[in-house]
Amino acid sequence: MTLSHHIIAAILTLPLVLATATASPTFVPAFPNLTIKKPVTTAILPGTDTELIVAQGGIIYILPKDRNASEAAIWFDLTERVTIDKDFEEGLLGLTFHPNYTSNGKFYVYYSRQDPKRSILSEFVAIDNKPDPTSERHLLEIRQPFWNHNSGLPTFGPDGYLYVSTGDGGNGNDPLTHSQNLFSPLGKILRLDIDTRSGDLPYGIPADNPFIATPGALAEIWAYGMRNPWGLHFDKKGRLWCADVGQAMWEEINLITKGGNYGWSYREGAHDLALSRNPPLTTEGKDAITLIDPVHEYSHADGISITGGVVYQGDAFPELQGKYIYGDWKSGFVWALTVDDDGKKISNTILRPRNATDDKKANSFQPTMFTTRPDGELWILSWDGKIYELAK
Ligand SMILES: [Ca+2]
Ligand SMILES: [Ca+2]
């Protein structure tokens, strides 16, 4: 073999080496015998190694330790309070724990009620890690004009404030133009100080909320122009990620900044929405509105409804470290997005290919949420009630 043969051999070998180094993980059922109907999210019970899993119908279960378990114990049954007209998008949609839960026992849920149709953000208190059903304190009751786009998934920021996304109220194309309206709590990310009170409110308004001095604007608003955020996640760097479900064309991922306008329903993704019912966009002068484009978008060639994710910080898959893992509820695609510290997209790679066909029965994998478990690895919840994890 000559030197040039060696070089050719080395070149031929190179792609194989690279392929090995970047091999995608596989997605395997983590609890083969367990089905949790419409899982929405998981949460770690602070101060313990217990994990909870939220079912959209209104029950919070304890995730079994036994991977062969076929049943999960109930931690909190909210079905008497969670009332559902359309179970596709209504129900129990969020759970998060107070940063000082281990001393005050407080936790927060977001759920649907009817007559009138509304979304409720409530505080409960757990005593010795057992929820006290008499402890409910309503923080927000947001009227919902339509059954869809209720968003949810409250989460605490590193600043100790509670963030909750609300969705535009529903129907299609934001018919009531809630998202751009600073008088409306819909189509927003709200930020509350649940440890204080402002006036008669059951919570406080953080002094640095962006619209606190804007006449008529809701002081709770942190960011606006959202459609139906599904997944609100603070990463270890303190960045707030928000996946926003699109209308008919584009699915998007945003990095949320204070006071930011994320475009809906002037724009879907980074594209003007022809059916926008908003007044003409003012782009100059003191009333100029600046719309913030998503960090990343994908078209409906690749899916139909984004499922927001988390930045991976685990050890088992070093190649995923620092990447935002997310997917599409319908197509079953899962991707890993790399964004630099300035919020600029570097790459977006496929971790799991699309489902083989559009037949839902044949393709049961439909991610509803990506969550982080106590060991830093991921759960991937699926609409079929199964919980998946990554495997090599
Ligand atoms: Ca709604
Ligand atoms: Ca947007």
Side-chain angles (χ1 to χ4, degrees):
M1 196 180 270
T2 65
L3 182 60
S4 62
H5 280 115
H6 277 291
I7 292 169
I8 289 167
I11 291 169
L12 288 174
T13 313
L14 191 59
L16 292 175
V17 172
L18 285 176
T20 306
T22 58
S24 278
T26 58
F27 288 66
V28 297
F31 298 83
N33 305 317
L34 182 67
T35 300
I36 300 288
K37 192 177 177 189
K38 293 184 181 170
V40 169
T41 192
T42 70
I44 301 165
L45 190 61
T48 76
D49 64 352
T50 297
E51 286 183 273
L52 304 171
I53 181 164
V54 176
Q56 193 175 331
I59 296 178
I60 303 171
Y61 294 96
I62 296 171
L63 194 65
K65 296 276 181 227
D66 176 8
R67 291 297 191 91
N68 292 314
S70 57
E71 285 187 16
I74 293 174
W75 187 70
F76 195 19
D77 185 341
L78 287 146
T79 50
E80 302 251 308
R81 299 162 213 255
V82 179
T83 54
I84 297 172
D85 171 31
K86 301 267 192 195
D87 68 359
F88 188 58
E89 294 188 33
E90 292 181 345
L92 178 57
L93 301 175
L95 166 68
T96 195
F97 288 86
H98 191 287
N100 298 325
Y101 169 83
T102 52
S103 54
N104 65 24
K106 292 177 179 175
F107 67 97
Y108 301 85
V109 294
Y110 181 93
Y111 62 91
S112 306
R113 268 188 86 77
Q114 314 298 325
D115 305 316
K117 191 178 285 297
R118 59 207 193 272
S119 292
I120 294 178
L121 177 70
S122 270
E123 178 185 86
F124 283 88
V125 178
I127 299 164
D128 296 333
N129 290 328
K130 301 225 173 355
D132 174 2
T134 69
S135 65
E136 182 168 20
R137 187 167 78 91
H138 284 193
L139 297 176
L140 294 174
E141 287 200 40
I142 300 171
R143 285 290 292 271
Q144 288 286 352
F146 307 102
W147 61 272
N148 55 346
H149 305 177
N150 304 315
S151 191
L153 296 165
T155 187
F156 280 90
D159 52 13
Y161 296 132
L162 182 62
Y163 293 72
V164 61
S165 53
T166 56
D168 68 4
N171 202 322
N173 295 308
D174 190 15
L176 305 174
T177 60
H178 284 300
S179 294
Q180 291 293 320
N181 184 341
L182 292 174
F183 308 163
S184 166
L186 293 167
K188 306 297 182 304
I189 294 171
L190 308 176
R191 180 183 187 238
L192 314 177
D193 178 358
I194 42 73
D195 293 326
T196 63
R197 306 280 187 278
S198 293
D200 294 335
L201 296 170
Y203 50 80
I205 303 287
D208 60 338
N209 270 12
F211 300 106
I212 207 161
T214 305
L218 292 179
E220 291 87 344
I221 296 171
W222 180 249
Y224 66 115
M226 318 311 298
R227 182 178 175 276
N228 187 25
W230 193 248
L232 205 53
H233 168 66
F234 278 99
D235 69 17
K236 288 245 157 53
K237 294 177 177 173
R239 298 188 297 188
L240 179 56
W241 297 77
C242 178
D244 200 8
V245 176
Q247 184 70 46
M249 301 280 285
W250 299 96
E251 303 298 312
E252 60 178 84
I253 295 167
N254 301 284
L255 281 172
I256 301 299
T257 54
K258 174 180 174 176
N261 182 343
Y262 290 84
W264 183 252
S265 52
Y266 282 114
R267 311 192 88 189
E268 182 183 10
H271 311 266
D272 289 343
L273 181 74
L275 295 170
S276 168
R277 291 173 171 86
N278 292 298
L281 186 63
T282 304
T283 56
E284 291 177 3
K286 69 174 177 54
D287 297 323
I289 295 174
T290 302
L291 305 180
I292 302 173
D293 281 341
V295 175
H296 176 67
E297 63 176 357
Y298 64 87
S299 82
H300 280 198
D302 285 338
I304 196 168
S305 183
I306 191 168
T307 291
V310 291
V311 172
Y312 178 82
Q313 303 286 356
D315 296 326
F317 300 93
E319 69 275 23
L320 300 182
Q321 188 63 232
K323 298 186 181 203
Y324 180 76
I325 314 298
Y326 69 100
D328 187 88
W329 171 80
K330 179 68 190 296
S331 69
F333 265 126
V334 177
W335 296 273
L337 178 69
T338 307
V339 169
D340 69 14
D341 285 345
D342 296 325
K344 186 173 168 296
K345 179 171 75 177
I346 304 297
S347 65
N348 183 55
T349 55
I350 296 170
L351 288 189
R352 184 193 179 281
R354 74 157 54 242
N355 288 329
T357 74
D358 284 335
D359 177 359
K360 258 196 243 170
K361 283 182 187 143
N363 292 305
S364 59
F365 182 78
Q366 291 185 269
T368 57
M369 193 50 59
F370 299 79
T371 62
T372 304
R373 59 196 211 193
D375 65 0
E377 300 306 319
L378 301 185
W379 297 126
I380 303 111
L381 312 183
S382 177
W383 187 245
D384 65 353
K386 293 298 179 189
I387 302 159
Y388 290 80
E389 64 182 333
L390 303 179
K392 292 179 202 267

